[in-house]
């Protein structure tokens, strides 16, 4: 194995020696700054004790716990400048290290190691190690880390703690083989990663099989196939409700990931899965992110024909996701909302109408009921539809009858909101 070939594509946040500074800039761009320690721009505003560190230091070099402004000035007499970072001190005896093998943003191997230390406040390696053990990385944490890796291929390593409210606090991301992989990961797991890396570097990255969430025992676990969902945790750290929201045809989640903070609110966990890649018939079999295959393209003048087998496939996948989310809530499915935008709207309504239990509600943005979606079930489910006044793709001339069929079937809690003024079919994240 040639370790020097392990990093084939370099992300923007490690394009300089000031990696930790670029990591913070990238987190801001992704809307994931809350997953990093809080920075302090001046010694006066800091909450002590806190951490003073060099942006390029490793293994605890030039990293200190400081208890006062005077201690900061002792280590940094010229001020913070670009030489020092002053940030929040995260307490906790447990720290986590996760090594990935990544192929253009897809997670091929995931190896988690949990470390227990003899103090809740420390700078490694000046702390007693109590123990270590492999651990299964929760899907929500995987989704956060994968968001940082959309431009990356190779081996990398994340180090983080978990706050009391359940949010990650990422200390660093290393685009190299870390000590966990070198020494602590079970040898059979490490061997498998290196063998797979050898295969990839020999044949060219891009041929690997990624991982996909599926439901099992009330949690999301991994199987071969697809990228992990984006998870936006509640603003107040209290999980009362869940919204499962489906992205439009072709677009994926990249823009949602960048603007995730637009959606964060108290009490609500938001889960946004990726549609699978499908060969789209009406576009000559081109592979696109799609909840179902389109058989025809009427250019917005009428509902397009769809392949019901691919619709049923996504319905099954998403129902499994709802099962997993329901297991996390005290009132089960009654605490779950489902919705989506454009194709995601139609898919979400189809899942809601066919799901085994009553959900909390549905919200559809610039979409419609699919002709293939049966009506007459879950008649009291709240249904809210929002349309753009300038939408020329989902035209009201044919969209309205698909929704009227719901009213005719007895769906009593249906509201079609006034058209959104000036809004076309392609909506911004702010409008959503």
């Amino acid at each position: 194995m040639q370790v020097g070939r392990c990093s084939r594509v370099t992300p923007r946040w490690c394009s300089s020696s000031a990696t930790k500074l670029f990591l913070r800039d990238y987190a801001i761009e992704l809307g994931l700054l809350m997953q990093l320690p809080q920075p302090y721009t001046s010694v006066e505003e800091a909450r002590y004790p806190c951490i003073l560190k060099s942006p390029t230091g490793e293994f605890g070099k030039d990293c200190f716990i400081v208890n006062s402004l005077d201690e900061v000035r002792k280590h940094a007499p010229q001020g913070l400048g670009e030489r020092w970072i002053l940030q929040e001190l995260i307490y906790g005896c447990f720290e986590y290290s996760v090594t990935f093998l990544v192929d253009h943003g897809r997670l091929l191997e995931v190896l988690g190691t949990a470390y227990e230390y003899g103090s809740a406040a420390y700078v490694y390696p000046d702390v007693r190690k109590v123990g270590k053990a492999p651990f299964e990385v929760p899907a929500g944490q995987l989704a956060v880390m994968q968001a940082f890796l959309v431009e990356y291929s190779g081996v990398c390593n994340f180090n983080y703690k978990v706050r009391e409210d359940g949010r990650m606090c990422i200390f660093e991301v290393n685009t190299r083989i870390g000590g966990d992989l070198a020494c602590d990961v079970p040898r059979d797991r490490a061997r498998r990663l290196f063998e797979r890396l050898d295969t990839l570097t020999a044949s060219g990255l891009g041929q690997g099989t990624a991982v996909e969430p599926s439901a099992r025992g009330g949690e999301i676990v991994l199987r071969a196939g697809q990228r992990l969902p984006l998870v936006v945790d509640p603003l107040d750290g209290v999980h009362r409700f869940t919204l499962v929201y489906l992205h439009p045809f072709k677009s994926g989640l990249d823009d949602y990931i960048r603007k995730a903070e637009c959606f964060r609110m108290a009490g609500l966990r938001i889960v946004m899965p990726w549609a699978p890649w499908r060969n789209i018939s009406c576009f000559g079999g081109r592979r696109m992110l799609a909840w179902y295959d389109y058989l025809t393209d009427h250019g917005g003048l009428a509902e397009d024909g769809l392949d019901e087998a691919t619709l049923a496939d996504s319905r099954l996948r998403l129902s499994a996701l709802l099962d997993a989310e329901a297991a996390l809530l005290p009132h089960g499915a009654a605490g779950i909302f489902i919705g989506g935008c454009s194709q995601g709207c139609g898919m979400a309504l189809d899942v809601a109408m066919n799901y085994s239990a009553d959900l909390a509600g549905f919200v559809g943005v610039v979409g419609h009921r699919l002709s293939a979606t049966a009506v007459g079930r879950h008649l009291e489910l709240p249904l809210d539809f929002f349309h753009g006044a300038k939408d020329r793709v989902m035209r009201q001339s044919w969209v309205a009858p698909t929704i009227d069929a719901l009213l005719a079937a007895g769906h009593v809690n249906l509201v079609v909101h006034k058209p959104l003024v000036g809004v076309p079919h392609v909506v911004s994240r702010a409008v959503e």
Side-chain angles (χ1 to χ4, degrees):
M1 182 198 69
Q2 299 184 37
V3 174
R5 296 163 63 185
C6 70
S7 181
R8 290 284 301 274
V9 179
T10 304
R12 282 173 287 141
W13 44 260
C14 62
S15 59
S16 160
S17 61
T19 298
K20 295 180 178 65
L21 294 175
F22 276 85
L23 177 62
R24 182 165 299 282
D25 291 341
Y26 196 45
I28 293 172
E29 181 181 329
L30 295 174
L32 294 174
L33 189 58
M34 292 181 67
Q35 310 294 339
L36 271 60
Q38 178 184 351
Y40 301 121
T41 57
S42 71
V43 294
E44 290 79 14
E45 75 167 24
R47 294 182 60 182
Y48 296 96
C50 59
I51 293 289
L52 177 69
K53 63 193 299 186
S54 163
T56 57
E58 293 184 340
F59 304 110
K61 184 177 183 296
D62 292 332
C63 183
F64 311 95
I65 296 177
V66 289
N67 295 285
S68 66
L69 189 152
D70 288 339
E71 288 190 21
V72 175
R73 289 173 174 164
K74 173 184 175 183
H75 295 288
Q78 305 301 318
L80 299 178
E82 295 184 357
R83 174 142 168 30
W84 296 100
I85 295 173
L86 195 62
Q87 69 183 35
E88 171 188 16
L89 171 62
I90 306 297
Y91 292 89
C93 296
F94 288 91
E95 189 167 332
Y96 303 91
S97 183
V98 180
T99 287
F100 296 102
L101 176 59
V102 188
D103 184 5
H104 294 91
R106 297 182 303 152
L107 308 183
L108 306 182
E109 296 286 342
V110 180
L111 304 176
T113 307
Y115 297 91
E116 183 179 2
Y117 295 101
S119 174
Y122 58 86
V123 171
Y124 187 82
D126 294 330
V127 63
R128 180 175 60 90
K129 185 184 293 185
V130 176
K132 63 185 178 184
F135 87 108
E136 291 296 325
V137 187
Q141 295 177 13
L142 281 173
V144 169
M145 291 183 278
Q146 188 176 31
F148 285 95
L149 300 173
V150 293
E151 301 175 347
Y152 184 68
S153 291
V155 174
C156 72
N157 165 272
F158 283 71
N159 294 108
Y160 63 95
K161 286 186 178 181
V162 177
R163 302 174 188 269
E164 290 185 358
D165 63 9
R167 283 183 294 130
M168 298 175 68
C169 190
I170 299 170
F171 300 132
E172 60 183 1
V173 185
N174 300 304
T175 54
R176 56 171 169 76
I177 293 172
D180 59 333
L181 181 59
C183 303
D184 299 330
V185 166
R187 294 299 86 190
D188 58 331
R189 298 286 306 277
R191 185 180 303 109
R192 173 177 150 175
L193 182 148
F194 286 126
E195 288 173 349
R196 198 165 187 185
L197 175 60
D198 263 349
T199 301
L200 289 170
T201 53
S203 61
L205 292 176
Q207 306 301 317
T209 300
V211 293
E212 172 186 347
S214 63
R216 185 182 70 191
E219 61 183 11
I220 302 293
V221 296
L222 302 178
R223 63 183 182 179
Q226 195 183 8
R227 297 172 71 175
L228 289 160
L230 167 66
V231 177
V232 182
D233 291 319
L235 182 62
D236 58 357
V238 180
H239 181 195
R240 299 183 183 89
F241 298 96
T242 294
L243 168 64
V244 174
Y245 194 78
L246 309 184
H247 64 73
F249 175 57
K250 298 190 299 183
S251 72
L253 290 175
D254 290 341
D255 196 43
Y256 290 92
I257 291 170
R258 285 191 292 270
K259 300 173 183 176
E261 293 304 313
C262 294
F263 300 96
R264 195 184 300 275
M265 61 183 66
L268 182 67
R269 166 183 163 96
I270 303 174
V271 180
M272 299 183 188
W274 288 82
W277 289 96
R278 298 192 187 279
N279 297 321
I280 304 303
S281 299
C282 69
F283 294 124
R286 286 174 55 195
R287 285 180 62 77
M288 298 179 178
L289 292 167
W291 299 108
Y292 48 82
D293 179 21
Y294 283 118
L295 303 179
T296 60
D297 177 16
H298 295 302
L301 297 177
E303 181 179 2
D304 295 318
L306 61 82
D307 174 60
E308 293 198 27
T310 53
L311 178 69
D313 173 69
S314 286
R315 184 191 303 141
L316 183 64
R317 293 170 183 253
L318 293 167
S319 294
L321 177 59
L322 293 184
D323 290 342
E325 291 298 319
L328 301 176
L329 291 163
H331 302 294
I336 298 177
F337 295 85
I338 191 169
C341 182
S342 190
Q343 190 193 59
C345 167
M347 186 71 246
L349 182 61
D350 182 86
V351 173
M353 292 293 101
N354 287 282
Y355 191 57
S356 58
D358 290 331
L359 301 176
F362 160 85
V363 58
V365 180
V366 296
H368 65 95
R369 180 189 69 86
L370 304 175
S371 296
T373 299
V375 298
R377 296 193 63 202
H378 306 301
L379 292 176
E380 296 186 358
L381 176 69
L383 306 172
D384 288 83
F385 288 89
F386 295 85
H387 302 290
K390 293 187 176 182
D391 194 336
R392 298 294 180 266
V393 176
M394 301 287 182
R395 297 173 186 255
Q396 285 303 295
S397 59
W398 63 266
V399 167
T402 71
I403 297 173
D404 290 343
L406 291 164
L407 288 169
H411 292 272
V412 295
N413 293 323
L414 187 153
V415 178
V416 179
H417 296 264
K418 292 182 179 179
L420 303 172
V421 177
V423 174
H425 184 67
V426 179
V427 298
S428 68
R429 303 291 80 81
V431 167
E432 284 183 284

